[in-house]
Structure formats: C-alpha cells, structure tokens
Amino acid sequence: MNIVVVGTGYVGLVAGACLAKIGHQATCVDIDEEKIKNLKEGKIPIYEPGLSEVVKKEVASKRLSFSTSLKDVLDQAEVVFVAVGTPMRRDGKADLQYVEAVAKEIGQNIKDYKVIVNKSTVPVGTGKEVTDIIAKYYKGSFDVVSNPEFLREGSAVEDFMKPDRIVIGAGSNKARDVMLEVYEPLDYKKITVSIESAEMIKYASNAFLATKISFINEVANICDIVDADVEDVARGMGLDNRIGPKFLKAGIGYGGSCFPKDVNALNQIAGTSGYDFKLLKAVIEVNIKQRLLVIDKLEELLDQIKDQPICVLGLAFKANTDDIRESAAVDIIRTLTGLGANISTYDPEAAEQAKEIMNGGVKFFDDPYEATKDAKALVVATEWPEFKKLDYKKVASLMANPKILIDGRNILEPEEMRKLGFKYVGVGRGKL
Ligand SMILES: NC(=O)c1ccc[n+]([C@@H]2O[C@H](COP(=O)([O-])OP(=O)(O)OC[C@H]3O[C@@H](n4cnc5c(N)ncnc54)[C@H](O)[C@@H]3O)[C@@H](O)[C@H]2O)c1
C-alpha cells in the first residue's frame, strides 16, 4: 500500500521504515528541513538500535523516501499516519497544535478517500476533532482511525516489528479493513475497538506502567527504613504470575517523552470529565519526590552541596537512547547546579542533546573515567550497560574522599562496591 507518515521523529521514522520493511511504499514527511535533508543523505537523526540499517536498506530498495511537503505526496497516499509530537502543556494537558496543523493541511489538500491514522498519543475525542477539522475543508469521504503506538525507545524497531498487540480504533468497517491490510504482514494480536477506546488504551497502558514504577519506588523507600532490599522484594513479587517482573525496578523515577506527559494528560482528561483520579495524582507526586531523594541523600552525606565536585553518569532518560526529554538525570543535574555543585558528566549517546539545554556548572566528558576524576560523589543516573561494567576499582582510585556512590538505578552490587571503598547508597537497598 502507499503510505505517508507525517512527523519523522522517534515514532514516525521507525513506523515509516518498518512499514517499508513489511512491504509498503512509505514516505516520511517532516517540516524540519534539516532532518529531511540529513535523512536523504543517509544520516539518521536519532540513536535507535537497528534503525539505521532498516532505513538504509529500505531507501536502497526504493520503498522508503522522505519529503518536506505533505501537499506534494498526499495524492499518492491511501493511508496517512500522523505521528507528530503531542508535548505536555503547562497545565498538564496534551498540546494538540501539531496534530491540528496536520489535520488542517490534510483537509486543504485531500482529493479522494483516504484513511487518516492518529498514531500520536492523543486525548480521547481527538479522533473526532481531527475529523471535524478535515471536514471543514473537504466535503468528500475519508475516515480517521486511532492506532496508538506502544514502541519503546531503545528497542523501537523490534517493538514495531514484534508488537504485543496492534490496537485499531475505527469508526467504519472500511477503515478497519484498510488498517488490517496495512498490518497484515505482522502476525501479532490485533484488536479492533472504537476510536475512543483505542485512544484510552494508550493512556491507560502508560498510566498503569507508571503506577507500577511509582509503587515499587514507594516500597523501596520503606525498604530503606526497615532495612530490606527492594531488589529481593521485587524479585519475590515478580515471580507471581499475576504481578510479573517487568516495571518493578526501583530507582530515581520514570522520565522520557511519554510517561510523564501521558500520566499528566490522563489526569487532566479525568479532571475535565469531572472525575478525581486520586491514584494517578499520587503516581505523579511520588515520581517527582523520587528524583529529589538523590539530592537529599547527597546533602546528608556531603553536608553541603555548594562547590562540591559531583559526577553524574548518564543523561538519557533510560539506556539505549539519546532522548533526554523529562530525564531524571537532567533534572538532578539542574537541581545540583542550582545548589552550586560542580558537575562532571558522561553519557555514551545523549551528551550533545544535553549540552544544548544545560547552562553553566556542567563539564561534559567523552570518557566515563575522566568524568569521575576527583569527584567526591558519583551518581549513576541511567542504567546504561556500560556503567555496570565499569572498572569500579579504577573509579574508586580516581575519586576523592568520601567516595559516595549513589546507584540511582540499582545496577551495582552493594557489598562489592563497599569493599572497593565506596560509600554505596542504592534505592531501597537498606539503611544507610
Ligand atoms: N517516543 C516514543 O517512545 C513514543 C512511543 C509511543 C508513542 N509516542 C507518541 O508519538 C508521538 C510522536 O512522538 P515522537 O517521540 O516521535 O516525537 P518527536 O518530537 O520525536 O517527532 C515529532 C516530529 O514531528 C514533526 N512535525 C511537527 N509538526 C509537523 C507538521 N506539521 N508536519 C510534519 N512534521 C511535523 C517534528 O518536526 C518532529 O520531527 C507523540 O504523540 C508521542 O506521545 C511516542
């Protein structure tokens, strides 16, 4: 089928490349001219394992192409995926301006029946809103469907190609059948529901996962008081099939471009519907508090933060991505520099992005050992596998006393680290 994907970010580029990989003719559109120019030259704008290979292969096979003009490529499309950003507004609601702009552009340029797919994460009711915007300009027949995306950054290609489920929210059988045809090559569970239910599935899924994280973080905080180890507790809980081991990893809280904004958006949807979603409010509050625990622990162990050399390993909001949106690491660094700390930092992929948004007080290093040199405290803020494998004996020898090691992701062995001379502090790993 001929498919146009509007918005060539983490979701749009992965979706476009993977739709080409499963045999469709895909064109990725973006208003960011630099991004499209780079893609046409074979340069991939984001770090995502395996993506570069798929893009290169599909471009070579001529199934994947790029454009800055939706108008130029719209005619050829049978299906138009909308994958533009829906960032969080100041009031916590989803900002729909980009989705609305694309809907208007489609309305102004569409000439025949097409299925318009909301792949962006959007509040319940957006399918109808997009329909209304297009219908304002175009009087012919078209359908809007909701097809939320569940890929995770860091394993996006794999997740797109092998999804747990494909959710299709359609208001007509015709649109539903077109979507089933699009995904026909992917032999995974497909569920067809109403547009509103599909929109809700996405928010409810992310809110549930965020709840699991905040829950285990609360358990971790109690573990610190009662001298239990949350890693053992989570293992014991996760072996229960009804609970499962995933998203039971205590740490410095969830971040990224999705969880914080989607949890807030669902809270706002509830509020504007006249419903008080108490549980979700607590999830948000716990997550904010969890990041600040690192600061509290450092204050306790260093007496004061001002002028102290502190190294933060990791800037990305999680491992295997260069995405720093709503990253706990970035938040912690900002708070520490605000308190006058001298921060040194290293991240294998996300440093360039972080440099653009950080003010003074932060030194970026290309080598993790260089970053730890002379630091009195080290915070492991992202669970990059290479941070687990560092030579911590060497790190200990490079650092200055009192060699505090705050393992914000619980990736290290407390006893091993203590033997090497660190004052090790994990999250929920017992009393200090
Ligand atoms: N990133 C994720 O892991 C993930 C996972 C699932 C769902 N989502 C959802 O998918 C959507 C996209 O997220 P993302 O992370 O890919 O965003 P992104 O910010 O990486 O990419 C969005 C792209 O849209 C482009 N754009 C904006 N307006 C445009 C227009 N009028 N025409 C063409 N292009 C335009 C931007 O230039 C940008 O390149 C969001 O709603 C997000 O919540 C994201």
Side-chain angles (χ1 to χ4, degrees), residues 5-13 29-33 35 46 48 67-68 70 82-87 97-99 101-103 105 119-122 148-154 156 202-203 206 257-258 261-262 317-318 323 325:
V5 182
V6 191
T8 310
Y10 285 88
V11 168
L13 182 56
V29 176
D30 206 288
I31 45 172
D32 184 335
E33 293 187 0
K35 192 181 263 189
I46 52 171
E48 189 57 54
S67 171
T68 49
L70 173 58
V82 181
V84 294
T86 48
Q97 62 166 309
Y98 305 105
V99 172
V102 174
E105 206 177 343
K119 192 153 241 345
S120 299
T121 304
V122 289
E149 182 51 58
F150 299 95
L151 63 77
R152 295 160 301 172
E153 287 176 23
K202 174 66 191 175
Y203 278 123
N206 274 359
S257 68
C258 290
K261 94 173 161 62
D262 293 351
F317 83 91
K318 66 172 183 179
D323 199 341
R325 290 179 282 184

Side-chain angles (χ1 to χ4, degrees), residues 318-335:
K318 66 172 183 179
N320 295 322
T321 182
D322 59 356
D323 199 341
I324 55 162
R325 290 179 282 184
E326 298 288 330
S327 161
V330 171
D331 227 17
I332 288 166
I333 291 176
R334 280 194 170 134
T335 310

